[in-house]
Amino acid sequence: MTAPAPFGPLQFQLVLLRRMADHQPDLVEDARHELSASLAEMREANRRWQAMSRAPRGRGALRRYRSVLGEPESSVRRRVGDLECDALLWRLPLWPDLRFEVMAGPGGAVWNEWLVRAPGAARLELRTAADLSPWSCTVDEVARAFAPARPMEGSAPTRWALGFTDPAGGRPRVAEFTWGLFQRLLPGGA
């Protein structure tokens, strides 16, 4: 019996795609083909990631990211309220203008993990909800463009939502994100 292939950046990108397929199956299918990966490989990557994440004696989350993605492209010390953390950024070939960011607190505890715009990359100008298209922007970009956006609970651990008022028409909207990347826009409600 042969050992499974090492789990690296390709498999990690398939894990990200697996959750995004719930909202954007066509974009995921195109991306999967771009990575030359089969549907079975995507499922297997997700299965292995879940097993690593839930292993009783597994590595901590930050060590897991380092073992899978290698050393980060950059690391920056940030202050969030009264606490300091490290923001570690990794390049993922599928999204060249984005970086996978892991925010780690004291002792390496992972506070957040998502896609963010790469430093120096061109930013999308967002003026109204009509400017939002799937995979075009991140949580942070939408929050800044439509301030004061309201953070809302997502439907899964890797999902986020922001409620905001569309400047064009004043209607409430909800932007949904998976791994920090915009997926879809919904009407806002009470």
Side-chain angles (χ1 to χ4, degrees), residues 9 16 28 36 63 67 85 89 109 111 120 136 144 171-172 179 185 190:
L16 300 183
V28 167
S36 300
R63 286 186 59 210
S67 73
C85 66
L89 299 171
W111 292 349
S136 65
R144 277 188 277 120
R171 289 186 306 272
W179 290 105
L185 187 66

Side-chain angles (χ1 to χ4, degrees), residues 81-92:
D82 292 340
L83 301 173
E84 284 195 9
C85 66
D86 292 312
L88 295 90
L89 299 171
W90 283 271
R91 177 186 303 268
L92 296 175

